[in-house]
Amino acid sequence: MRIDIVSIFPEFFSVLDISLLGKARQQGLLDVAVHDLRDFTHDRHRTVDDTPYGGGAGMVMKPEPWGEALDHVLGDEADPEATTVIVPSPAGTPFTQALARELAAVPHLVFTCGRYEGIDQRVVEHASSRVTVREISLGDYVLNGGEVAVTAMIEAVGRLVPGVVGNPESLTEESHEGGLLEYPSYTKPASWRGLDVPPVLMGGNHGAIASWRHEQQLERTRRVRPDLLG
Ligand code: 6GU
């Protein structure tokens, strides 16, 4: 999978050099490139923002640098199946595990990190005429810019790319796969600070373990996230 990130803080994405995703990049499973939006400006101050038409607080990111940056990363690509531009925004559709799975099947993802009050809406409109564009929100709260949200999205999507997670079974036995939260996990020692591991897990009865775990998933989901049960 090819991933391009455009940001005014390219150094922010050094986190992608480490851990599981860093290893996946070394192995060639993920091809990640980070671009500085200011490289696509032409004035002495490398200006990326301006005041909003219609008034209001804050600044809006100018369309010209974004247009040039997207021209650069998209080249002559114009296949909505092969390329998705992701615009992180608290006004976007919610990011979910299902959406992460969808994005993991797209060969080329482009993440546009907005700052201030967002990017001139015509950038979305224009890019939509060439490739798929999705405005996506991490959740119902406001971040200062798209960088943290994009990092979270890349981690959630990247680990679903085949080969990135060593044991593919660990991808099915986790929260939000199958619509439930995951069951609680335990390891040695069997007794710790007066707390014992649930005996069913040590009995070796695989059927009993599976139904105990399913029961735990249901109980936890009912208690913490009843909205998931519909
Ligand atoms: Cl994707 N961006 C920003 N700036 N704030 C957010 C968000 C995204 N998702 C939730 N809050």
PDB file of all heavy atoms in Angstrom, residues 87-90 114 136-146 149 153, ligand 1:
ATOM      1  N   VAL A  87      -9.616  13.405   4.067  1.00  0.00           N
ATOM      2  CA  VAL A  87      -9.559  14.734   4.665  1.00  0.00           C
ATOM      3  C   VAL A  87     -10.042  14.606   6.114  1.00  0.00           C
ATOM      4  O   VAL A  87     -11.230  14.426   6.358  1.00  0.00           O
ATOM      5  CB  VAL A  87     -10.453  15.717   3.882  1.00  0.00           C
ATOM      6  CG1 VAL A  87     -10.378  17.119   4.482  1.00  0.00           C
ATOM      7  CG2 VAL A  87     -10.069  15.735   2.407  1.00  0.00           C
ATOM      8  N   PRO A  88      -9.117  14.628   7.089  1.00  0.00           N
ATOM      9  CA  PRO A  88      -9.538  14.505   8.479  1.00  0.00           C
ATOM     10  C   PRO A  88     -10.278  15.766   8.912  1.00  0.00           C
ATOM     11  O   PRO A  88      -9.820  16.872   8.649  1.00  0.00           O
ATOM     12  CB  PRO A  88      -8.218  14.343   9.241  1.00  0.00           C
ATOM     13  CG  PRO A  88      -7.183  14.957   8.382  1.00  0.00           C
ATOM     14  CD  PRO A  88      -7.654  14.809   6.956  1.00  0.00           C
ATOM     15  N   SER A  89     -11.437  15.571   9.521  1.00  0.00           N
ATOM     16  CA  SER A  89     -12.224  16.731   9.945  1.00  0.00           C
ATOM     17  C   SER A  89     -13.231  16.303  10.993  1.00  0.00           C
ATOM     18  O   SER A  89     -13.873  15.255  10.852  1.00  0.00           O
ATOM     19  CB  SER A  89     -12.973  17.298   8.732  1.00  0.00           C
ATOM     20  OG  SER A  89     -14.045  18.113   9.164  1.00  0.00           O
ATOM     21  N   PRO A  90     -13.395  17.113  12.059  1.00  0.00           N
ATOM     22  CA  PRO A  90     -14.433  16.781  13.041  1.00  0.00           C
ATOM     23  C   PRO A  90     -15.830  16.827  12.419  1.00  0.00           C
ATOM     24  O   PRO A  90     -16.788  16.330  13.005  1.00  0.00           O
ATOM     25  CB  PRO A  90     -14.261  17.833  14.137  1.00  0.00           C
ATOM     26  CG  PRO A  90     -13.411  18.902  13.552  1.00  0.00           C
ATOM     27  CD  PRO A  90     -12.654  18.317  12.409  1.00  0.00           C
ATOM     28  N   GLY A 114      -5.231  19.129   7.662  1.00  0.00           N
ATOM     29  CA  GLY A 114      -5.620  20.525   7.785  1.00  0.00           C
ATOM     30  C   GLY A 114      -5.275  21.049   9.162  1.00  0.00           C
ATOM     31  O   GLY A 114      -5.133  20.296  10.123  1.00  0.00           O
ATOM     32  N   ILE A 136     -13.305  12.408   7.074  1.00  0.00           N
ATOM     33  CA  ILE A 136     -13.443  11.426   8.152  1.00  0.00           C
ATOM     34  C   ILE A 136     -13.079  12.049   9.497  1.00  0.00           C
ATOM     35  O   ILE A 136     -12.073  12.750   9.620  1.00  0.00           O
ATOM     36  CB  ILE A 136     -12.550  10.194   7.877  1.00  0.00           C
ATOM     37  CG1 ILE A 136     -12.922   9.556   6.527  1.00  0.00           C
ATOM     38  CG2 ILE A 136     -12.677   9.176   9.000  1.00  0.00           C
ATOM     39  CD1 ILE A 136     -12.051   8.378   6.122  1.00  0.00           C
ATOM     40  N   SER A 137     -13.904  11.772  10.502  1.00  0.00           N
ATOM     41  CA  SER A 137     -13.683  12.255  11.868  1.00  0.00           C
ATOM     42  C   SER A 137     -13.288  11.108  12.778  1.00  0.00           C
ATOM     43  O   SER A 137     -13.811   9.999  12.659  1.00  0.00           O
ATOM     44  CB  SER A 137     -14.958  12.908  12.400  1.00  0.00           C
ATOM     45  OG  SER A 137     -14.854  13.100  13.799  1.00  0.00           O
ATOM     46  N   LEU A 138     -12.390  11.394  13.696  1.00  0.00           N
ATOM     47  CA  LEU A 138     -11.971  10.378  14.662  1.00  0.00           C
ATOM     48  C   LEU A 138     -13.006  10.200  15.762  1.00  0.00           C
ATOM     49  O   LEU A 138     -13.098   9.139  16.368  1.00  0.00           O
ATOM     50  CB  LEU A 138     -10.639  10.812  15.273  1.00  0.00           C
ATOM     51  CG  LEU A 138      -9.632   9.731  15.626  1.00  0.00           C
ATOM     52  CD1 LEU A 138      -9.313   8.858  14.444  1.00  0.00           C
ATOM     53  CD2 LEU A 138      -8.364  10.386  16.153  1.00  0.00           C
ATOM     54  N   GLY A 139     -13.789  11.224  16.029  1.00  0.00           N
ATOM     55  CA  GLY A 139     -14.763  11.131  17.112  1.00  0.00           C
ATOM     56  C   GLY A 139     -15.318  12.505  17.420  1.00  0.00           C
ATOM     57  O   GLY A 139     -14.901  13.494  16.815  1.00  0.00           O
ATOM     58  N   ASP A 140     -16.222  12.549  18.370  1.00  0.00           N
ATOM     59  CA  ASP A 140     -16.931  13.802  18.635  1.00  0.00           C
ATOM     60  C   ASP A 140     -16.198  14.693  19.638  1.00  0.00           C
ATOM     61  O   ASP A 140     -16.632  14.887  20.771  1.00  0.00           O
ATOM     62  CB  ASP A 140     -18.362  13.494  19.111  1.00  0.00           C
ATOM     63  CG  ASP A 140     -19.183  12.841  18.014  1.00  0.00           C
ATOM     64  OD1 ASP A 140     -18.821  13.020  16.824  1.00  0.00           O
ATOM     65  OD2 ASP A 140     -20.154  12.150  18.328  1.00  0.00           O
ATOM     66  N   TYR A 141     -15.064  15.191  19.191  1.00  0.00           N
ATOM     67  CA  TYR A 141     -14.268  16.153  19.958  1.00  0.00           C
ATOM     68  C   TYR A 141     -13.384  16.861  18.948  1.00  0.00           C
ATOM     69  O   TYR A 141     -13.296  16.423  17.796  1.00  0.00           O
ATOM     70  CB  TYR A 141     -13.419  15.434  21.015  1.00  0.00           C
ATOM     71  CG  TYR A 141     -12.766  14.186  20.494  1.00  0.00           C
ATOM     72  CD1 TYR A 141     -11.597  14.264  19.742  1.00  0.00           C
ATOM     73  CD2 TYR A 141     -13.344  12.938  20.675  1.00  0.00           C
ATOM     74  CE1 TYR A 141     -11.013  13.131  19.229  1.00  0.00           C
ATOM     75  CE2 TYR A 141     -12.777  11.795  20.154  1.00  0.00           C
ATOM     76  CZ  TYR A 141     -11.613  11.893  19.436  1.00  0.00           C
ATOM     77  OH  TYR A 141     -11.042  10.765  18.908  1.00  0.00           O
ATOM     78  N   VAL A 142     -12.756  17.960  19.369  1.00  0.00           N
ATOM     79  CA  VAL A 142     -11.992  18.760  18.415  1.00  0.00           C
ATOM     80  C   VAL A 142     -10.497  18.700  18.711  1.00  0.00           C
ATOM     81  O   VAL A 142     -10.066  18.937  19.842  1.00  0.00           O
ATOM     82  CB  VAL A 142     -12.483  20.225  18.414  1.00  0.00           C
ATOM     83  CG1 VAL A 142     -11.642  21.069  17.463  1.00  0.00           C
ATOM     84  CG2 VAL A 142     -13.957  20.281  18.003  1.00  0.00           C
ATOM     85  N   LEU A 143      -9.716  18.366  17.695  1.00  0.00           N
ATOM     86  CA  LEU A 143      -8.261  18.395  17.776  1.00  0.00           C
ATOM     87  C   LEU A 143      -7.765  19.668  17.093  1.00  0.00           C
ATOM     88  O   LEU A 143      -8.496  20.292  16.326  1.00  0.00           O
ATOM     89  CB  LEU A 143      -7.675  17.170  17.074  1.00  0.00           C
ATOM     90  CG  LEU A 143      -8.162  15.798  17.578  1.00  0.00           C
ATOM     91  CD1 LEU A 143      -7.724  14.691  16.638  1.00  0.00           C
ATOM     92  CD2 LEU A 143      -7.658  15.550  18.986  1.00  0.00           C
ATOM     93  N   ASN A 144      -6.513  20.043  17.350  1.00  0.00           N
ATOM     94  CA  ASN A 144      -5.988  21.280  16.760  1.00  0.00           C
ATOM     95  C   ASN A 144      -5.689  21.145  15.280  1.00  0.00           C
ATOM     96  O   ASN A 144      -5.549  22.135  14.573  1.00  0.00           O
ATOM     97  CB  ASN A 144      -4.721  21.714  17.491  1.00  0.00           C
ATOM     98  CG  ASN A 144      -5.042  22.337  18.830  1.00  0.00           C
ATOM     99  OD1 ASN A 144      -6.125  22.877  19.015  1.00  0.00           O
ATOM    100  ND2 ASN A 144      -4.129  22.240  19.759  1.00  0.00           N
ATOM    101  N   GLY A 145      -5.548  19.906  14.818  1.00  0.00           N
ATOM    102  CA  GLY A 145      -5.232  19.700  13.410  1.00  0.00           C
ATOM    103  C   GLY A 145      -5.362  18.231  13.087  1.00  0.00           C
ATOM    104  O   GLY A 145      -5.641  17.408  13.968  1.00  0.00           O
ATOM    105  N   GLY A 146      -5.159  17.893  11.822  1.00  0.00           N
ATOM    106  CA  GLY A 146      -5.394  16.521  11.389  1.00  0.00           C
ATOM    107  C   GLY A 146      -4.298  15.523  11.738  1.00  0.00           C
ATOM    108  O   GLY A 146      -4.500  14.320  11.602  1.00  0.00           O
ATOM    109  N   ALA A 149      -5.095  12.697  14.270  1.00  0.00           N
ATOM    110  CA  ALA A 149      -6.156  11.857  13.698  1.00  0.00           C
ATOM    111  C   ALA A 149      -5.599  10.973  12.579  1.00  0.00           C
ATOM    112  O   ALA A 149      -5.905   9.778  12.504  1.00  0.00           O
ATOM    113  CB  ALA A 149      -7.299  12.733  13.178  1.00  0.00           C
ATOM    114  N   MET A 153      -5.523   6.909  12.191  1.00  0.00           N
ATOM    115  CA  MET A 153      -6.119   6.222  11.038  1.00  0.00           C
ATOM    116  C   MET A 153      -5.097   5.329  10.346  1.00  0.00           C
ATOM    117  O   MET A 153      -5.396   4.185   9.970  1.00  0.00           O
ATOM    118  CB  MET A 153      -6.683   7.238  10.039  1.00  0.00           C
ATOM    119  CG  MET A 153      -7.900   7.999  10.557  1.00  0.00           C
ATOM    120  SD  MET A 153      -8.521   9.140   9.289  1.00  0.00           S
ATOM    121  CE  MET A 153      -9.200  10.444  10.316  1.00  0.00           C
TER     122      MET A 153
HETATM  123 CL1  6GU B   1     -10.155  14.004  11.895  1.00  0.00          CL
HETATM  124  N1  6GU B   1      -9.614  16.395  12.848  1.00  0.00           N
HETATM  125  C1  6GU B   1      -9.695  17.336  13.792  1.00  0.00           C
HETATM  126  N2  6GU B   1      -9.049  18.494  13.611  1.00  0.00           N
HETATM  127  N3  6GU B   1     -10.383  17.207  14.898  1.00  0.00           N
HETATM  128  C2  6GU B   1     -10.987  16.033  15.064  1.00  0.00           C
HETATM  129  C3  6GU B   1     -10.941  15.007  14.147  1.00  0.00           C
HETATM  130  C4  6GU B   1     -10.239  15.219  13.022  1.00  0.00           C
HETATM  131  N4  6GU B   1     -11.662  13.986  14.590  1.00  0.00           N
HETATM  132  C5  6GU B   1     -12.134  14.360  15.760  1.00  0.00           C
HETATM  133  N5  6GU B   1     -11.752  15.607  16.062  1.00  0.00           N
END
